[in-house]
Amino acid sequence: MKEKLLQYLRCPSCAGTIQLTETTSCDGLEIIGGTLECAQCGSGFPILRGIPRFASLSEVEKEKVATAENFGWQWRHFTQADELYREQFLGWIAPVKPEFFKDKVVLEGGCGKGRHTELAAMWGAREVIGIDLSEAVETAFANTRDLENAHVIQADIYNLPLARVFDYAFSIGVLHHLPDPRGGFLSLASKVKEGGHLSAWVYGAENNEWLIKWLNPVRERVTSKMSKRRLLTTSKLPTALVYAVTKLVYGPLNRSVLGAKVAQKLPYNDYLNAISRFGWREQHTIVFDHLVAPTSHYIPREDFESWWQQVGATEVVIGWHNKNSWRGFGRV
Ligand SMILES: C[S@@+](CC[C@H](N)C(=O)[O-])C[C@H]1O[C@@H](n2cnc3c(N)ncnc32)[C@H](O)[C@@H]1O
Ligand SMILES: [Zn+2]
C-alpha cells in the first residue's frame, strides 16, 4: 500500500479518517505489512502482503462468500494479460475514451486481477483505486504495484472504506454477480463526488432467455459447486466448442464482406465474433468465468435504467453491448 492512499480511506463502520499506526515491513514506496486504525472509533485494519484489508471472507455474509471464493480462485489461476483487453475495456465503458481518465481520481468496483485498474492508471488517471472482496486482490496488487498511481484494497462493494471524492467510478461484470445488484450500484455511486461520472456493465435479460433457462440452473447447481481443479478440466470441453466455432465460423465469416451478412443471422454473432480474436487461454478464462459464478442476475433494460434514475444521474447513455448486455454511463 502506498502511503498516499490514506487520504482516500474512511472507516467502513463510522466514516472516520484512517491512520497508519504501525509499519512492520516496506518495499520501496509500498507498505507491505502494518496496521491501519480509525481515528474516530479505533477499529483496526491490517495491511497484509501490501494490501489494506477492510473485509475478510470469514466475516462477510454467506451469500457473498461463495462468489468471492470462486472468482478469487479464477483470478489467481488466470493471471495472464492480453493485448485485446484495452479494446475490450473500451467496449464495456463506451463512450468513455482513454483521454477521459487524465488527472481523474478513479474507483473500480470489483477489480478482479486488476486489468482495468492497470489500464486506467496507464491512461493517466491521477490515482486509481481497485477494490475487490476476493483473493483476486493478490493478483491485482502484483499486476499494478509498479504503477505509482494504482492502488488495490480488499473490501466489500457494499461497504466501501472510501471517501466520496471520486471523479469517476466504474464496475465491469461485477454487479450482476452480487446478491443485490442495485444495492452494489448505489454503493459505488455514493463514492462519486457531485458532477463526477459512473460506468457500469451488466448481463442483459434481453436476448439471453436460453442462458437464463438452461445455463443458470446448471451453473447454480453443478458447475459453481465443483472443485475448481475439476471445473478447470471440465470447462475445456465447452471451451473447445467455443474455440472451434469462433475460429472456424464466426471469425472468418465476419471478416469477409459476403460472410458478414450471413453471420448477422447466426445466434450471438456480435458476442462470438468479439471473442473470436482471443486465443485459447483467454477463451478458457471466459468459459470458466461463465460456469464458476454461483449467482448471476440478468438485468432487464428497464431495471438498469431505473438504477440510474435512482442515483439522479444525468446525461445517461445506456446501450447494448454485443446485443446481450447493457452498458451505462452518466453524470451523478
Ligand atoms: C467476473 S469478475 C470481474 C472482474 C473485473 N471487473 C474484470 O472485468 O476483469 C467479478 C469480480 O467481482 C468480485 N466481487 C464479487 N462480489 C464482490 C463484493 N461483494 N465486493 C467486491 N467485489 C466483489 C469478484 O471477486 C470478482 O473479482
Ligand atoms: Zn471508525
Side-chain angles (χ1 to χ4, degrees):
M1 174 194 138
K2 294 158 186 102
E3 204 167 339
K4 63 178 172 173
L5 176 63
L6 282 174
Q7 62 189 297
Y8 300 101
L9 299 178
R10 292 294 177 275
C11 174
S13 311
C14 76
T17 51
I18 299 287
Q19 298 167 334
L20 177 67
T21 51
E22 184 195 23
T23 303
T24 52
S25 68
C26 280
D27 180 9
L29 281 183
E30 295 287 349
I31 301 157
I32 301 298
T35 309
L36 299 168
E37 208 176 276
C38 170
Q40 201 161 285
C41 74
S43 300
F45 308 97
I47 304 168
L48 294 174
R49 295 182 292 284
I51 305 163
R53 315 280 175 158
F54 286 92
S56 107
L57 289 194
S58 57
E59 282 161 21
V60 295
E61 297 83 345
K62 219 174 89 216
E63 72 262 32
K64 297 177 191 164
V65 175
T67 298
E69 278 179 353
N70 287 8
F71 280 120
W73 194 95
Q74 173 177 313
W75 295 127
R76 295 207 73 187
H77 179 79
F78 292 105
T79 56
Q80 78 279 0
D82 195 295
E83 56 183 19
L84 293 174
Y85 286 165
R86 181 184 191 279
E87 200 182 306
Q88 187 184 40
F89 181 36
L90 289 171
W92 282 325
I93 58 172
V96 170
K97 298 275 184 282
E99 309 78 77
F100 178 82
F101 287 85
K102 187 111 186 70
D103 294 328
K104 290 200 164 61
V105 180
V106 177
L107 168 62
E108 174 170 17
C111 64
K113 64 178 165 179
R115 54 184 172 163
H116 304 135
T117 291
E118 183 182 6
L119 282 166
M122 293 194 314
W123 288 339
R126 177 138 50 99
E127 308 292 344
V128 194
I129 301 175
I131 71 98
D132 202 286
L133 180 57
S134 77
E135 276 191 2
V137 290
E138 310 285 341
T139 306
F141 176 65
N143 286 341
T144 58
R145 61 183 293 175
D146 292 338
L147 295 163
E148 54 89 26
N149 54 344
H151 311 267
V152 173
I153 300 175
Q154 189 168 21
D156 183 354
I157 198 166
Y158 291 104
N159 203 15
L160 292 165
L162 296 165
R164 189 188 172 202
V165 289
F166 291 89
D167 299 304
Y168 180 49
F170 67 89
S171 187
I172 308 294
V174 176
L175 301 170
H176 48 236
H177 293 306
L178 299 175
D180 167 22
R182 179 190 293 264
F185 178 83
L186 298 181
S187 177
L188 191 71
S190 75
K191 300 301 170 189
V192 177
K193 68 182 189 193
E194 216 181 313
H197 289 87
L198 184 61
S199 284
W201 173 75
V202 295
Y203 292 165
E206 297 82 351
N207 280 357
N208 276 325
E209 290 77 10
W210 83 267
L211 279 183
I212 298 167
K213 191 160 175 212
W214 301 107
L215 179 67
N216 233 3
V218 174
R219 174 165 51 202
E220 271 169 28
R221 284 179 221 147
V222 185
T223 56
S224 68
K225 294 197 168 134
M226 279 180 169
S227 85
K228 302 312 154 272
R229 282 270 149 215
R230 194 149 174 225
L231 182 59
L232 191 68
T233 309
T234 310
S235 57
K236 286 182 182 162
L237 181 63
T239 305
L241 287 172
V242 171
Y243 192 79
V245 294
T246 56
K247 295 290 180 191
L248 298 173
V249 182
Y250 284 83
L253 276 181
N254 279 283
R255 281 194 295 274
S256 85
V257 181
L258 279 178
K261 286 203 176 117
V262 178
Q264 306 261 318
K265 301 199 166 66
L266 296 177
Y268 284 103
N269 180 51
D270 293 56
Y271 179 65
L272 292 171
N273 180 35
I275 66 171
S276 72
R277 291 164 62 207
F278 284 121
W280 170 267
R281 188 156 179 83
E282 198 55 36
Q283 289 204 3
H284 191 197
T285 313
I286 294 167
V287 171
F288 186 93
D289 183 279
H290 278 294
L291 296 175
V292 83
T295 309
S296 299
H297 297 275
Y298 289 81
I299 319 285
R301 180 179 175 129
E302 211 180 321
D303 283 11
F304 191 53
E305 280 173 356
S306 75
W307 298 2
W308 296 85
Q309 281 158 11
Q310 193 169 343
V311 297
T314 56
E315 300 160 36
V316 178
V317 187
I318 289 175
W320 261 140
H321 183 253
N322 288 335
K323 298 199 188 121
N324 65 350
S325 55
W326 299 115
R327 65 180 168 214
F329 172 71
R331 186 188 280 271
V332 291

